[in-house]
Amino acid sequence: MAFTLPALPYAPDALEPAIDKMTMEIHHGRHHKAYVDNLNKALESAPDLAGKSIEDLVRNLSAVPEAIRNAVRNNGGGHLNHTMFWEIMGPGAGGAPSGDLAEAINSTFGGFDPFKAKIKESALGRFGSGWAWLVHGSDGKLSVVSTANQDSPLTDGHAPLLGVDVWEHAYYLKYQNKRADYVDAWWNVVNWSKVAEKFNAARGKK
Ligand code: MN
């Protein structure tokens, strides 16, 4: 069964002013759609993989035939990363995490502000295109990592909880080369209850 582009969970202008409507429309309707289309195209030659979830494909790229492995890595990762990206943002969001997630962030990074600084450092330190992530490791610990291109932390055995897309397509229309300003504004649209859901799923709690 082919993968499909998920609908945006809110209107394309819902994240204004942090993320402008045109950026959202192009990012979702063209960039994400292209990842889905190219992933489906690559998988046409591998009917054995039909029925695997996108997480399974990306988690275990070595099970993907070499001829299409790079296409699945890039486009499968792109599909997975963007699906999560739309989910962990929302209108009327922002603020700070609460509960166990806040405690885990505070004890790991020394507070919410140091955590945000670490994400920013990771986002700005990524040369070219990629992502900065908060991940939950198989050791049960939180950490901040960066991946290049559309690589997913899942491939390295980490569960992504939050990710900021630092490809220029995510911010260039409004912020041009000012990636730091985009990252600063991005905190205003983070949906912490979704991030907490992912944290709970990663540590096996409902
Ligand atoms: Mn993107």
Side-chain angles (χ1 to χ4, degrees):
M1 209 172 74
F3 291 101
T4 54
L5 178 68
L8 266 187
Y10 34 75
D13 64 354
L15 304 184
E16 297 254 15
I19 305 181
D20 60 287
K21 180 183 180 188
M22 186 179 280
T23 294
M24 287 297 289
E25 286 175 340
I26 294 173
H27 199 174
H28 174 261
R30 299 195 211 167
H31 290 278
H32 189 171
K33 183 175 189 301
Y35 297 128
V36 172
D37 291 346
N38 290 327
L39 172 64
N40 287 332
K41 200 168 175 201
L43 290 172
E44 280 172 9
S45 69
D48 290 0
L49 298 177
K52 285 214 182 215
S53 70
I54 187 61
E55 288 86 359
D56 284 346
L57 287 172
V58 170
R59 191 182 285 124
N60 192 11
L61 285 171
S62 59
V64 175
E66 204 174 345
I68 60 165
R69 191 174 299 153
N70 227 30
V72 171
R73 176 180 177 178
N74 291 332
N75 296 290
H79 176 39
L80 180 64
N81 294 342
H82 286 84
T83 299
M84 173 175 162
F85 189 56
W86 315 131
E87 284 177 2
I88 59 140
M89 299 190 292
S98 60
D100 288 355
L101 175 61
E103 271 180 37
I105 285 175
N106 291 341
S107 67
T108 305
F109 303 104
F112 185 48
D113 285 339
F115 160 69
K116 287 201 293 183
K118 196 142 177 92
I119 287 277
K120 187 173 183 179
E121 182 189 354
S122 187
L124 301 186
R126 165 55 53 196
F127 183 78
S129 297
W131 294 73
W133 305 94
L134 171 67
V135 301
H136 183 270
S138 52
D139 57 1
K141 292 183 177 155
L142 297 183
S143 56
V144 167
V145 299
S146 168
T147 60
N149 304 314
Q150 293 299 350
D151 288 351
S152 164
L154 266 189
T155 308
D156 299 322
H158 297 128
L161 308 182
L162 165 148
V164 57
D165 185 346
V166 297
W167 283 58
E168 284 186 345
H169 69 219
Y171 63 86
Y172 204 86
L173 291 179
K174 182 177 169 99
Y175 296 94
Q176 295 83 46
N177 61 324
K178 293 172 284 190
R179 186 185 285 186
D181 291 358
Y182 156 70
V183 173
D184 287 343
W186 184 75
W187 295 111
N188 294 314
V189 295
V190 174
N191 180 347
W192 286 106
S193 60
K194 271 285 170 200
V195 179
E197 269 178 34
K198 293 184 182 296
F199 177 54
N200 288 335
R203 62 193 181 131
K205 289 197 179 179
K206 294 264 176 197

